[in-house]
Amino acid sequence: MSRSTVPSLASRLLRRIDRLAPPATAHAHCDIPCGIYDPHFMQVAALSVLRMNQLIDGLDVADAKANAHAISRFTTVKEEHAEIVKREVRIIYGDYFKPEHVEKHKNIPELTWSILKKAGAARQNIDLKAAEELLGLCQQFAEIFWDTKGVPTKKQPSNQAAGGEFVVPAN
């Protein structure tokens, strides 16, 4: 028996078993249990994008050869964290927000779109202003998120080298 027929045989066998004893259907409305969503990771990632831009801006452009490795590392981290922002906002927007949240906060779709676009711009360019705007958009998103849970918020200094603030529950 050749290797190429093994998956085919296994597949047919499993289909027959499924016909004889159909598997139960699983029902879920989200990827993770409700209440676990948190915009904190998105804010940390946005702050990391900001910090990488600060570090790149602080390099001596006259000594490009000496800074090539640092620029490469900072750019890689900046791009990875911009992608984390995009992933986190998509998860909360797609899995957590419900129609009643959007009814109350009509700007959720536009804000989500703005975060996705700004994170994309932050990935594509070395742009300190875009990174600062991305953090601000993530803070607005966090405020709306916590409001949908009935939780008052406050801005708290990040206490990181990048500066900036995080939107956190006030309690």
Side-chain angles (χ1 to χ4, degrees), residues 3-25:
R3 274 182 128 20
S4 63
T5 60
V6 173
S8 171
L9 289 173
S11 222
R12 287 191 310 226
L13 178 62
L14 291 171
R15 280 195 300 268
R16 284 183 183 158
I17 291 170
D18 284 349
R19 276 187 290 219
L20 294 172
T25 302

Side-chain angles (χ1 to χ4, degrees), residues 3 50 56 61 64 68 71 78 80 87 92-93 97 104 107 111 118 120 132 134 136-137 143 148-149 159 170:
R3 274 182 128 20
L50 176 62
I56 292 168
V61 293
I71 290 170
K78 173 183 69 73
E80 288 170 350
R87 182 187 70 224
I92 294 173
Y93 179 74
F97 284 132
K104 182 177 180 185
N107 66 327
L111 180 58
K118 193 60 70 174
E132 290 168 345
L134 178 62
L137 291 169
E143 288 170 343
T148 65
K149 289 184 166 280
N159 298 315

Side-chain angles (χ1 to χ4, degrees), residues 110-135:
E110 177 67 26
L111 180 58
T112 300
W113 183 85
S114 296
I115 291 169
L116 293 170
K117 291 299 183 185
K118 193 60 70 174
R123 282 192 68 202
Q124 296 168 357
N125 302 297
I126 299 168
D127 186 344
L128 190 58
K129 186 174 188 296
E132 290 168 345
E133 290 171 0
L134 178 62
L135 180 60

Side-chain angles (χ1 to χ4, degrees), residues 26-35 37 94-98:
H27 298 281
H29 75 279
C30 60
D31 293 341
I32 57 177
C34 293
Y37 300 100
D95 294 351
Y96 171 74
F97 284 132
K98 298 175 178 79

Side-chain angles (χ1 to χ4, degrees), residues 37-101:
Y37 300 100
D38 193 316
H40 182 71
F41 297 122
M42 178 177 53
Q43 292 180 88
V44 170
L47 192 63
S48 296
V49 171
L50 176 62
R51 181 62 179 152
M52 292 305 106
N53 274 278
Q54 291 170 343
L55 291 171
I56 292 168
D57 278 357
L59 293 174
D60 181 6
V61 293
D63 198 359
K65 186 176 179 181
N67 293 322
H69 181 70
I71 290 170
S72 177
R73 288 185 64 221
F74 297 157
T75 300
T76 298
V77 170
K78 173 183 69 73
E79 291 183 3
E80 288 170 350
H81 283 80
E83 202 53 41
I84 290 170
V85 169
K86 292 170 78 171
R87 182 187 70 224
E88 292 296 316
V89 75
R90 282 192 307 265
I91 289 170
I92 294 173
Y93 179 74
D95 294 351
Y96 171 74
F97 284 132
K98 298 175 178 79
E100 58 267 24
H101 298 144

